[in-house]
Amino acid sequence: MEPQHLRDLYDRQLRREARPDGPGCRIEHVGGVVRQTGPAHAWNGVLWSGLTAADADRAVAAQIDHYRAAGLSFEWKLYAHDTPGDLGARLAAAGFTADPPETLMAAEAAALPDAVPLPAGVELRAVTDASGVRQVAEVHQRAFGTDSSRLERQLLDRLAADPDTVTAVVALADGEPVSAARLELCPGTDFAGLWGGGTVEGWRGRGLYRALVAHRARIAAERGHHYVQVDAADTSRPILERLGFGALSTTTPYLYG
């Protein structure tokens, strides 16, 4: 499928027709905006917008009012192809803070490598309980240097309430968690999302990231998803390109509150 057609399919299935991604969350369609609202530990924010120069500022103010009334911080997930073209500048003027942009990439799940050799002494283990979730959170915190308590809560909620929509894996080196990632499955769509792939310092550059991509892509294909997508940081993009991923757009998280 051509990149623009694949991007259009992504926009329709995962943004305009988005489904709640956790218990207690709801998807709301409000005047050219698709947003998710849920508990404070969940992801809250705007998934898609179809705005014009005439109505963008009004829509931005309405989302701020909505989440402020709910007592929630939120994210506006802006893509380079969203309209109007100056929406990022409008969000910044309204008080949002932009995180670094990432590249939206996708690949055919079944076309990716079935497996990547692991370093000696490393094994992959499926995450099925609270102990495994803690290991994922530990890797995330060590790899990215950020608090992982919200991720831990979200993953526990998903595994308990809707385990068919998420799977996670941790790489253990002689029992120590050194890399981890999760796969978010969207039943009824062509896509599964690769999220949170991180490796602790000292184990980078040894194929663990590629191994976790291959592992999750195989699961996605087995579950009937044609494509896997990822929001790739600059450090990940070259690895993903070598595996066969192509760029569809860029996305920038704009944070408020």
Side-chain angles (χ1 to χ4, degrees), residues 162-224:
D162 205 354
D164 289 338
T165 66
V166 65
T167 184
V169 59
V170 61
L172 301 173
D174 297 323
E176 176 191 358
V178 295
S179 188
R182 68 189 189 276
L183 173 70
E184 297 197 357
L185 302 150
C186 304
T189 77
D190 291 290
F191 294 91
L194 306 180
W195 295 95
T199 302
V200 303
E201 193 172 356
W203 281 92
R204 295 169 186 164
R206 302 173 67 175
L208 290 177
Y209 182 83
R210 290 183 292 114
L212 293 182
V213 169
H215 177 83
R216 289 174 291 165
R218 185 172 66 252
I219 294 173
E222 291 170 351
R223 300 279 190 93

Side-chain angles (χ1 to χ4, degrees), residues 51-101:
L51 304 174
T52 67
D55 62 12
D57 290 338
R58 185 167 59 252
V60 169
Q63 306 320 306
I64 293 173
D65 289 345
H66 167 74
Y67 287 105
R68 182 180 288 156
L72 298 168
S73 58
F74 74 105
E75 174 184 328
W76 192 302
K77 193 164 176 57
L78 180 68
Y79 291 76
H81 57 283
D82 289 345
T83 57
D86 65 348
L87 184 53
R90 293 171 186 263
L91 291 170
F96 287 78
T97 301
D99 269 358

Side-chain angles (χ1 to χ4, degrees), residues 40-41 136-154 182:
H41 67 273
V136 171
E138 176 188 336
V139 169
H140 189 274
Q141 189 153 320
R142 291 173 61 194
F144 300 111
T146 56
D147 179 70
S148 60
S149 56
R150 290 181 67 181
L151 168 64
E152 185 173 357
R153 178 87 179 272
Q154 291 169 9
R182 68 189 189 276

Side-chain angles (χ1 to χ4, degrees), residues 13-135:
Q13 292 188 347
L14 296 191
R15 301 182 68 203
R16 299 201 308 272
E17 299 174 0
R19 304 174 187 188
D21 71 357
C25 298
R26 64 185 183 275
I27 297 295
E28 300 162 320
H29 296 248
V30 184
V33 168
V34 179
R35 69 189 181 207
Q36 175 168 287
T37 306
H41 67 273
W43 185 88
N44 286 281
V46 174
L47 292 154
W48 178 84
S49 63
L51 304 174
T52 67
D55 62 12
D57 290 338
R58 185 167 59 252
V60 169
Q63 306 320 306
I64 293 173
D65 289 345
H66 167 74
Y67 287 105
R68 182 180 288 156
L72 298 168
S73 58
F74 74 105
E75 174 184 328
W76 192 302
K77 193 164 176 57
L78 180 68
Y79 291 76
H81 57 283
D82 289 345
T83 57
D86 65 348
L87 184 53
R90 293 171 186 263
L91 291 170
F96 287 78
T97 301
D99 269 358
E102 298 173 313
T103 303
L104 172 64
M105 306 186 77
E108 187 178 350
L112 293 172
D114 284 341
V116 172
L118 293 167
V122 175
E123 63 170 333
L124 300 186
R125 183 174 298 174
V127 173
T128 59
D129 56 19
S131 175
V133 171
R134 282 193 296 272
Q135 290 180 324

